[in-house]
Amino acid sequence: MRNDGTSSRALDREECLALLRSAPVGRVVYTDQALPAIQPVTFAVDGDETLVIRTMPGSKFEAALRGAIVAFEIDDIDAAARTGWAVTAVGRARAITDESEARHLARLLPRPWAPGAREAFIRITCRQVSGVRLASAHLFEIPSRSRALPGVS
């Protein structure tokens, strides 16, 4: 096996949640007609265990998410520098039907990027959260102490 000079380390739950709070866009991984599908979305973190997205009422996307187990992913990768991180959360998605909760979420969520009325809300309760940080191996190296060369004072 070839070492490409890249190292990785697992992120703890707190680091993962902090990164989730910092990202403007993520990807929902779900099943559409028995096939895997991925949809980029704007989102917000509500509390410590919940992600919230907005979508169009009655959309195929909303229907696919209702009650489903989904994955949610964010990342920030610099391919040239071989550094970055990725966080994945897995949990059940449920539609928000309570009007007062929907009003709260409308204030919490960023303005949608996609056109159209996005007034339906989906809450994903995170059951599993994991992440990894990638870095060039030299970023993890501890510099050695300088040593005097023989004959040099």
Side-chain angles (χ1 to χ4, degrees):
M1 179 187 262
R2 191 178 139 227
N3 181 349
D4 66 0
T6 303
S7 295
S8 66
R9 90 172 162 81
L11 300 174
D12 64 30
R13 186 175 183 87
E14 289 73 31
E15 289 173 298
C16 291
L17 292 172
L19 289 168
L20 279 166
R21 287 185 191 92
S22 73
V25 176
R27 293 164 205 83
V28 176
V29 181
Y30 62 104
T31 303
D32 182 15
Q33 298 180 8
L35 296 172
I38 301 171
Q39 181 73 40
V41 294
T42 56
F43 72 101
V45 177
D46 188 22
D48 284 341
E49 305 279 326
T50 306
L51 306 172
V52 183
I53 61 173
R54 88 170 67 213
T55 188
M56 294 180 79
S59 70
K60 183 176 164 184
F61 181 59
E62 180 195 28
L65 295 186
R66 284 179 180 255
I69 301 294
V70 300
F72 188 87
E73 192 271 350
I74 60 169
D75 60 54
D76 186 13
I77 306 293
D78 182 336
R82 300 180 127 178
T83 62
W85 52 264
V87 172
T88 303
V90 176
R92 183 169 303 278
R94 71 175 176 85
I96 303 303
T97 56
D98 179 73
E99 288 186 31
S100 65
E101 186 176 8
R103 282 191 300 274
H104 162 73
L105 296 175
R107 290 187 300 273
L108 178 70
L109 282 156
R111 191 171 139 220
W113 291 8
R118 307 261 173 210
E119 300 306 320
F121 301 95
I122 304 289
R123 183 179 294 279
I124 302 168
T125 304
C126 301
R127 297 290 180 226
Q128 299 173 355
V129 179
S130 61
V132 64
R133 184 170 301 277
L134 308 169
S136 294
H138 74 274
L139 294 177
F140 289 118
E141 291 176 1
I142 299 171
S144 62
R145 294 183 180 183
S146 59
R147 297 180 197 172
L149 298 174
V152 177
S153 42

